[in-house]
Amino acid sequence: AQTVTQSQPEMSVQEAETVTLSCTYDTSESDYYLFWYKQPPSRQMILVIRQEAYKQQNATENRFSVNFQKAAKSFSLKISDSQLGDAAMYFCAYRSSDFGNEKLTFGTGTRLTIIP
Amino acid sequence: GAVVSQHPSRVICKSGTSVKIECRSLDFQATTMFWYRQFPKQSLMLMATSNEGSKATYEQGVEKDKFLINHASLTLSTLTVTSAHPEDSSFYICSAKTSGGSTDTQYFGPGTRLTVL
């Protein structure tokens, strides 16, 4: 079974600075998807960024980018120019590419605090 | 696009009663919907996968007779917590996935907070 590990329960960053959230995973599959989701106090899960394992290029979405290291099974999220609205729980998630096995396996989350 | 709604957002019920939670995909057809449970300060745990027109697939340890799932149409799935007890109090979140193409992303509803007295 796949597992996702987020080793940082809490992180904080000064507004406008850059922060990196860590995620590692364990799988025997060669093709899969990885995601970062954000859960603000409203509890609404919001997709931040996604990465296909077969793509070597790291995904980028505006201020959010990932460092995907397939061999190391590492998938970190970098948030640049942090804003107060970035404060939330961040969950890393794994999904198999197998048709019919589409469930997401989540890490335990990292609570990100933005310091004004 | 890709909006998922849940109703109700909050529900309080007495022990022994049943509660139904609806999950709707508002602007797309969802062949697959997922139901998660999230305890305070914890991660999301998948309870079951719901496919339109077929029986739900439950994760190990989830009682299918207690958590009834019906995926009656391509835009609606319901979760019924039967004979609810205080230990069923939790935050329930659904997600929906479109079919075909590179549609590998799940879109989440806003969640339902269930409190069983």
Side-chain angles (χ1 to χ4, degrees), chain A residues 37 39 43-44 50 103 107, chain B residues 43 59 104 106 108 113:
Chain A
Y37 280 91
Q39 188 180 42
R43 306 292 292 272
Q44 170 77 59
R50 60 187 283 276
K103 65 180 185 181
Chain B
S43 188
E59 294 298 300
D104 53 298
Q106 292 182 27
F108 286 80
R113 183 178 301 283

Side-chain angles (χ1 to χ4, degrees), chain A residues 9 37-40 87-91 108-112, chain B residues 41-42:
Chain A
Y37 280 91
K38 168 184 176 181
Q39 188 180 42
M89 281 290 289
Y90 285 82
F91 292 99
T108 51
T110 296
R111 180 172 301 283
L112 178 65
Chain B
K41 298 185 179 180
Q42 293 189 24

Side-chain angles (χ1 to χ4, degrees), chain A residues 46-107:
Chain A
I46 301 166
L47 177 66
V48 175
I49 200 164
R50 60 187 283 276
Q51 173 83 41
E52 294 96 334
Y54 66 86
K55 289 187 177 179
Q56 292 185 337
Q57 187 173 8
N58 289 323
T60 299
E61 288 288 344
N62 300 315
R63 296 182 296 108
F64 299 88
S65 62
V66 298
N67 183 5
F68 173 50
Q69 301 290 326
K70 190 173 184 179
K73 296 180 182 174
S74 170
F75 182 60
S76 61
L77 173 70
K78 185 172 82 171
I79 306 173
S80 303
D81 185 26
S82 299
Q83 301 176 0
L84 294 177
D86 295 333
M89 281 290 289
Y90 285 82
F91 292 99
C92 178
Y94 172 102
R95 207 215 90 173
S96 170
S97 64
D98 287 345
F99 180 78
N101 183 16
E102 298 159 319
K103 65 180 185 181
L104 287 172
T105 300
F106 286 90

